[in-house]
Amino acid sequence: MQTKPVIVIGAGLAGCEAAYRLASRGIPVRLHEMRPVKLTEAHKTGDLAELVCSNSFKSLSPVTAPGELKRELELLGSLAIACARKAAVSAGEALAVDRDIFSREMTNAIASQPLITLVREEVLSLPDDPEQLVILATGPLTSPALSESLSRFTGSDHFYFYDAISPIVDAQSLNRDIIFAANRYGKQTRALEDSGAGNDEAADYLNCPLDRDQYEAFIDLLLKGERVEAKSFERVKHFEGCMPIEEMADRGRDTLRFGPMKPVGLIDPRTGRQAWAAVQLRAENQSKSAFNLVGFQTKLKYGEQSKVFRTIPGLENAEFLRMGSMHRNTFVDAPRVLNLDLSLKNARHVMLAGQITGVEGYLESASIGLLAAIFAEARLKQLPLPSPPPASALGALLGHTRNTQNVDFQPSGINFGLFEDEPFFEAFLALRPRFPKKIPKDERRKAICETSFRNAQEFAERVKNLS
């Protein structure tokens, strides 16, 4: 077993989670944090795990994806969850925290671990020593110098400095009487096994057709929609191919019709005519339980997105699993650059954790930090990789970073769209006697969460006994 301390760079949620887990398992850690020696544009203090955005850790309900993730983290002894419980403030079904208390609890917990040496200095480059295990957990505001060092290992084509995220909708909430399956220009590519469109054509996309009046009404509402004002550290110059849709609409009312809403070759089977404009939906997972609004990255506020996008024919009752956004971030094309144990393919001694792997959210970041520590411990002890089961929230989140079929990798928080159907086949089969035609959404999700928790309990027992 390695005698050198594991180097953890970044003392946010992921870095603290990783360092604490390793130290509690008897593995020495050198935890690097550049604050307060050098502050970012977003952070204001030198406290560890400072929360710079919302103070909410999302739902505690055991039949939601965020709620299930919390239950699984508690099984594994998550530091972030323990500190959040101590810092909790009233927020209904959500777990919200007092920011100052939370950061103080995290800082004190790290200080209480004798095997953690906290180093307050900026790390400018990743170590080259292949015998030195490193966990990089610097988050979305990774410094320019360290970003450059990481990009040398990943390649610039797989390294990004901002998110361009399109909304994701639940497939069961789509109006299949309006939406139809077709590819632009009639091209035949990989077919969806269940397009839900009621025809036999092979197509990779579902389409929401708009006539001229519907398109004009959509543009009017889009242009009036309230937008999120970017913070100073989020202001970036967007590539032309990745503009927010409302900014494209600012350039002219027909801009979207010749861009992401181009209707060429999309014949509406209800009318037999080409649509005036169309919104295309692309499957987000193999199960086709979630669909991405192609090219609909946006800076509209979340409430505005729901109001505007539900005017699109076929999306009247859409349930959004993830809203669109565009903001400053640093993340890698995880499916292409990471091994299964979160190490870099071009530098196996460097592991990544937290948002830099392409997850979004406080506890999602902590989750990947915890998993990185578990993988590092197994590696140091030369044991097989103890991956969480695919049929679990942790497995679904990790699966997002491993999904090589996702050619347009975008960061995501935990949501039911990340849970593939196949691992839950038996759970769904058990519901068929009660629901022979269609399993209600709430019943599906309850089955997913119950199965996930049982699997997570088994995983927690396995990693407890790593030796």
Side-chain angles (χ1 to χ4, degrees), residues 2-161:
Q2 172 179 310
T3 55
K4 297 179 181 179
V6 174
I7 294 176
V8 177
I9 305 174
L13 273 79
C16 287
E17 195 76 68
Y20 190 84
R21 170 81 189 193
L22 289 169
S24 67
R25 301 286 291 181
I27 299 170
V29 175
R30 193 161 78 246
L31 177 61
H32 289 259
E33 173 53 58
M34 70 180 186
R35 295 181 295 112
V37 176
K38 181 177 180 180
L39 291 174
T40 71
E41 293 179 86
H43 293 89
K44 304 301 180 186
T45 76
D47 291 340
L48 307 186
E50 179 186 345
L51 306 181
V52 299
C53 295
S54 168
N55 72 326
S56 174
F57 285 22
K58 302 177 188 174
S59 178
L60 280 165
S61 170
V63 290
T64 64
E68 174 56 27
L69 183 64
K70 291 178 183 62
R71 294 206 300 168
E72 295 182 18
L73 286 173
E74 286 188 302
L75 288 173
L76 293 169
S78 163
L79 174 64
I81 284 287
C83 292
R85 294 287 192 187
K86 293 178 181 178
V89 297
S90 298
E93 280 204 334
L95 175 59
V97 301
D98 179 304
R99 299 168 190 269
D100 295 335
I101 295 176
F102 175 77
S103 294
R104 186 166 64 245
E105 289 290 338
M106 293 286 284
T107 302
N108 291 342
I110 293 298
S112 72
Q113 276 289 350
L115 289 180
I116 297 178
T117 301
L118 180 60
V119 182
R120 297 278 191 171
E121 66 179 21
E122 181 182 6
V123 176
L124 299 176
S125 62
L126 294 168
D128 291 321
D129 182 1
E131 301 301 317
Q132 175 61 67
L133 190 58
V134 180
I135 297 177
L136 179 64
T138 44
L141 298 178
T142 300
S143 68
L146 201 51
S147 294
E148 176 60 29
S149 177
L150 177 59
S151 68
R152 287 198 296 271
F153 288 115
T154 62
S156 59
D157 290 344
H158 299 293
F159 191 77
Y160 307 95
F161 291 97

Side-chain angles (χ1 to χ4, degrees), residues 24 40 49 56 62 81 96 164 188 208 216-217 233 242 244 272 284 347 375 408:
S24 67
T40 71
S56 174
I81 284 287
Q188 298 297 305
C208 303
E216 293 296 335
F233 61 88
C242 211
E284 185 70 14
F375 296 163
D408 182 24

Side-chain angles (χ1 to χ4, degrees), residues 152 161 166 198 216 286 322 421 440:
R152 287 198 296 271
F161 291 97
S166 299
E216 293 296 335
Q286 292 180 344
R322 181 188 76 189
D421 283 353

Side-chain angles (χ1 to χ4, degrees), residues 136-336:
L136 179 64
T138 44
L141 298 178
T142 300
S143 68
L146 201 51
S147 294
E148 176 60 29
S149 177
L150 177 59
S151 68
R152 287 198 296 271
F153 288 115
T154 62
S156 59
D157 290 344
H158 299 293
F159 191 77
Y160 307 95
F161 291 97
Y162 64 92
D163 289 351
I165 296 176
S166 299
I168 293 176
V169 293
D170 188 319
Q172 289 191 333
S173 68
L174 302 178
N175 184 347
R176 303 303 178 100
D177 292 331
I178 294 175
I179 296 172
F180 64 94
N183 293 342
R184 287 193 180 107
Y185 310 106
K187 291 182 178 179
Q188 298 297 305
T189 54
R190 181 179 54 81
L192 293 177
E193 294 176 3
D194 178 21
S195 69
N199 62 46
D200 296 324
E201 292 182 341
D204 291 314
Y205 296 90
L206 300 182
N207 300 275
C208 303
L210 292 84
D211 61 26
R212 186 167 189 164
D213 289 343
Q214 290 168 331
Y215 177 77
E216 293 296 335
F218 171 74
I219 294 298
D220 286 340
L221 202 57
L222 178 64
L223 292 174
K224 293 175 185 176
E226 191 175 359
R227 306 175 188 185
V228 175
E229 183 177 348
K231 300 179 177 67
S232 60
F233 61 88
E234 292 179 333
R235 291 186 183 128
V236 293
K237 182 178 179 180
H238 303 297
F239 294 120
E240 284 297 310
C242 211
M243 293 285 292
I245 57 166
E246 60 275 7
E247 291 189 12
M248 284 191 275
D250 287 341
R251 297 178 175 184
R253 298 187 67 85
D254 284 328
T255 303
L256 291 179
R257 281 210 321 123
F258 292 93
M261 296 180 71
K262 181 166 55 179
V264 177
L266 300 178
I267 307 301
D268 186 344
R270 296 175 303 156
T271 64
R273 298 190 301 271
Q274 179 174 289
W276 181 256
V279 176
Q280 289 205 303
L281 310 178
R282 182 177 58 224
E284 185 70 14
N285 56 23
Q286 292 180 344
S287 306
K288 290 86 157 179
S289 61
F291 282 82
N292 183 303
L293 275 65
V294 179
F296 265 54
Q297 55 274 359
T298 177
K299 289 183 178 178
L300 291 179
K301 291 187 175 181
Y302 285 178
E304 293 291 280
Q305 290 184 44
S306 297
K307 181 173 68 175
V308 174
F309 297 154
R310 285 187 180 129
T311 66
I312 297 169
L315 301 185
E316 302 89 359
N317 300 307
E319 179 181 349
F320 291 90
L321 298 173
R322 181 188 76 189
M323 306 307 294
S325 69
M326 297 193 75
H327 58 88
R328 167 74 161 84
N329 201 348
T330 302
F331 67 99
V332 299
D333 187 0
R336 255 62 65 181

Side-chain angles (χ1 to χ4, degrees), residues 406-463:
N406 187 348
V407 295
D408 182 24
F409 182 72
Q410 296 178 335
S412 179
I414 190 68
N415 65 76
F416 282 113
L418 298 185
F419 292 76
E420 295 284 3
D421 283 353
E422 185 177 356
F424 297 94
F425 175 78
E426 291 186 4
F428 295 154
L429 190 63
L431 293 174
R432 285 296 176 194
R434 292 169 54 203
F435 308 104
K437 291 185 178 180
K438 183 179 180 180
I439 301 172
K441 177 183 67 179
D442 291 346
E443 292 291 339
R444 282 174 56 90
R445 293 182 174 181
K446 181 181 177 183
I448 286 172
C449 290
E450 288 176 350
T451 303
S452 294
F453 189 66
R454 286 196 300 271
N455 289 335
Q457 287 176 311
E458 295 174 3
F459 177 64
E461 286 300 315
R462 273 196 289 135
V463 298

